[in-house]
Amino acid sequence: VCCVNDCESLLDEIEEAVGAPVAEPSELLAVVGNLSSQATLSDDPPRDLKGSLTNQLEQIAAAHGGRVPLHGRLFAQWLHYA
């Protein structure tokens, strides 16, 4: 392993909370909004997940039968901005 990926620890926490490889957007928004891990380098408050981030997550779910696959490229990209 050459370097630590901060997103992996966040994804691990999400997987543990969800307990499945897919989840509904509302469940993911609740989990991500309450993550104990902070991958940012600043002391900024947690990002507001309403608005475009919620819409994007709902679009990902719509493309996958109403649930978001946690190990998909689109969720990884979404998580990066959340």
Side-chain angles (χ1 to χ4, degrees):
V1 175
C2 69
C3 52
V4 175
N5 181 346
D6 290 329
C7 292
E8 285 184 31
S9 63
L10 293 174
L11 186 57
D12 288 346
E13 198 168 333
I14 293 167
E15 287 176 324
E16 184 175 327
V18 171
V22 295
E24 293 185 12
S26 59
E27 183 178 12
L28 289 173
L29 289 168
V31 169
V32 172
N34 292 313
L35 286 176
S36 62
S37 303
Q38 290 296 320
T40 60
L41 298 177
S42 66
D43 291 329
D44 293 341
R47 187 176 190 105
D48 184 10
L49 298 176
K50 296 179 180 137
S52 65
L53 285 171
T54 297
N55 291 338
Q56 290 169 356
L57 195 60
E58 289 171 350
Q59 288 176 356
I60 295 168
H64 294 93
R67 298 174 66 91
V68 178
L70 300 183
H71 297 282
R73 174 186 56 85
L74 293 175
F75 181 67
Q77 289 173 333
W78 181 88
L79 187 58
H80 178 77
Y81 291 102

